[in-house]
Amino acid sequence: MFVFLLSLTVSMITGEASQCCVPPQFQTNIDTMTSLSSTMDKRFQTARFSYDAMSKKLRTHVVAQTKEDEFDRIEDFSAGKSFTWARGICKVSSTGPFNQICIPDEAKLVRESFMGVSPNIIKLKTYMVTLENNMTELTTVGDNCTPIEMVSFSSKSPQPDGQFMRIFYNMSMGIKDSSIFTPPKICS
């Protein structure tokens, strides 16, 4: 799941210019499927992801196939700290700078489509961006740049870095309870 978080924040990071940026505050569920070519291992995880660009904080609660893969993380960029805890143990580390999640300006628009049934149609745009290590990412966004789907894959064959697919759903705008960004007592 760390790979997911890193790729979410790295792959959509922008420089100064961008195609579009996600809403400043939202909460969503994300299903992630990771397929690692080297081990033929497939992993499925579901995360509840909360994003608050205004206070520069991220919160992730991960539920996975095994208890060993479940964890919680708060990234407080304004304090420069990341808190990750699971099974009663908390690790505190430093964060880098905060970058708003955006489609970078160098991303190429490769498809415009839609989903839904009239009158509830959502217009979609899919962007392609080349990442480091020969990785390519296709990111599909809806109205107001809300993330819908992200697929990452390597141009190498076989794909040693694996393939990653993320589906976003049950998204709501705003942060309902800001206390979710408070680390638990075990992280004190």
Side-chain angles (χ1 to χ4, degrees):
M1 188 64 185
F2 179 72
V3 171
F4 154 71
L5 289 173
L6 184 62
S7 64
L8 176 65
T9 54
V10 169
S11 65
M12 293 184 78
I13 286 176
T14 174
E16 301 223 357
S18 63
Q19 301 271 350
C20 66
C21 295
V22 298
Q25 291 183 320
F26 68 91
Q27 295 180 286
T28 188
N29 288 343
I30 305 170
D31 283 347
T32 302
M33 193 278 292
T34 304
S35 175
L36 300 175
S37 300
S38 58
T39 61
M40 299 303 287
D41 186 23
K42 289 185 174 65
R43 292 181 178 243
F44 299 92
Q45 295 176 320
T46 296
R48 181 69 181 156
F49 181 74
S50 302
Y51 173 81
D52 188 349
M54 296 156 77
S55 67
K56 299 181 180 177
K57 295 179 181 179
L58 305 175
R59 166 66 193 255
T60 308
H61 171 70
V62 176
V63 179
Q65 288 175 290
T66 65
K67 289 283 185 195
E68 291 79 30
D69 292 333
E70 295 182 7
F71 68 92
D72 286 272
R73 175 177 287 126
I74 294 172
E75 293 184 74
D76 185 344
F77 293 92
S78 58
K81 293 186 177 183
S82 176
F83 306 88
T84 305
W85 66 96
R87 299 174 300 285
I89 299 171
C90 181
K91 293 181 181 176
V92 181
S93 58
S94 298
T95 62
F98 177 79
N99 290 298
Q100 188 174 6
I101 300 174
C102 300
I103 301 292
D105 195 41
E106 63 271 10
K108 180 181 178 184
L109 179 63
V110 294
R111 180 177 65 214
E112 291 187 69
S113 59
F114 67 92
M115 62 187 255
V117 177
S118 182
N120 299 314
I121 300 288
I122 298 172
K123 293 180 182 179
L124 304 176
K125 291 183 178 181
T126 301
Y127 295 92
M128 180 175 67
V129 64
T130 302
L131 307 172
E132 295 178 18
N133 301 332
N134 294 320
M135 292 292 285
T136 299
E137 182 164 272
L138 296 172
T139 300
T140 301
V141 296
D143 296 334
N144 299 320
C145 208
T146 55
I148 304 292
E149 178 182 81
M150 294 170 66
V151 178
S152 304
F153 53 92
S154 174
S155 59
K156 294 179 183 177
S157 185
Q159 296 188 3
D161 298 326
Q163 298 176 357
F164 309 94
M165 180 178 200
R166 293 161 213 92
I167 308 293
F168 299 76
Y169 61 98
N170 289 343
M171 185 175 291
S172 61
M173 296 301 122
I175 301 296
K176 293 178 183 153
D177 178 8
S178 61
S179 70
I180 62 168
F181 296 114
T182 303
K185 291 180 182 179
I186 61 170
C187 293
S188 300

